[in-house]
Amino acid sequence: MASTSTTSVFTLIVLLAFSLSNCSDNEYASARIESCRGCSLNRLPEVKNFIFQDVPLYDNVEFKPISGAIPELVLLNNNDEEVERIQLSRLNRKECNELLVSKGFTASKPPKDEI
């Protein structure tokens, strides 16, 4: 009888783990770039170009200006809850675009190449 109980508990744990791994809440539904419009952003021309030229081309990605904030990518689930936050200041424009694509976001039009 103990082995039946152990098997049932094991099966329940496996089913729970499987359902959690396939839950849509674990996916990135949208993203938000938070940053000041100037300040530190003026010292990061590659990130600034990414924010103002490339971000508008992506589906489900928006820019939210926050006074004094360092540039960060905020990834959100289907419930609009923050799932992950990534600082962008160490990345160049190409790396910022690659980051969005690696997280599953697509651009309506391809971003312009760096000049």
Side-chain angles (χ1 to χ4, degrees), residues 19-52:
S19 68
L20 288 175
S21 68
N22 289 320
C23 180
S24 62
D25 287 346
N26 292 333
E27 298 174 359
Y28 303 122
S30 61
R32 180 174 61 233
I33 309 293
E34 296 180 350
S35 177
C36 64
R37 289 187 179 273
C39 308
S40 64
L41 198 55
N42 286 331
R43 292 186 294 271
L44 302 166
E46 296 253 340
V47 176
K48 186 174 184 175
N49 287 334
F50 164 72
I51 289 173
F52 292 111

Side-chain angles (χ1 to χ4, degrees), residues 2-3 7 11-12 20 26 33 38-40 49-50 52 54 63-64 71 74 76 78-80 84 96 102 104 108:
S3 65
T7 302
T11 303
L12 181 62
L20 288 175
N26 292 333
I33 309 293
C39 308
S40 64
N49 287 334
F50 164 72
F52 292 111
D54 301 341
F63 171 61
K64 180 177 181 181
V74 181
L76 307 163
N78 287 328
N79 296 326
D80 209 29
E84 188 175 355
C96 288
S102 75
S108 315

Side-chain angles (χ1 to χ4, degrees), residues 55-102:
V55 168
L57 304 175
Y58 283 90
D59 299 322
N60 300 317
V61 180
E62 67 178 1
F63 171 61
K64 180 177 181 181
I66 299 175
S67 181
I70 59 170
E72 292 182 313
L73 170 63
V74 181
L75 298 156
L76 307 163
N77 64 16
N78 287 328
N79 296 326
D80 209 29
E81 299 166 331
E82 183 176 324
V83 177
E84 188 175 355
R85 184 177 287 260
I86 302 168
Q87 189 174 350
L88 299 177
S89 58
R90 293 189 177 117
L91 303 178
N92 63 35
R93 184 176 180 180
K94 182 179 178 186
E95 292 168 332
C96 288
N97 281 291
E98 289 171 349
L99 177 61
L100 275 183
V101 171
S102 75

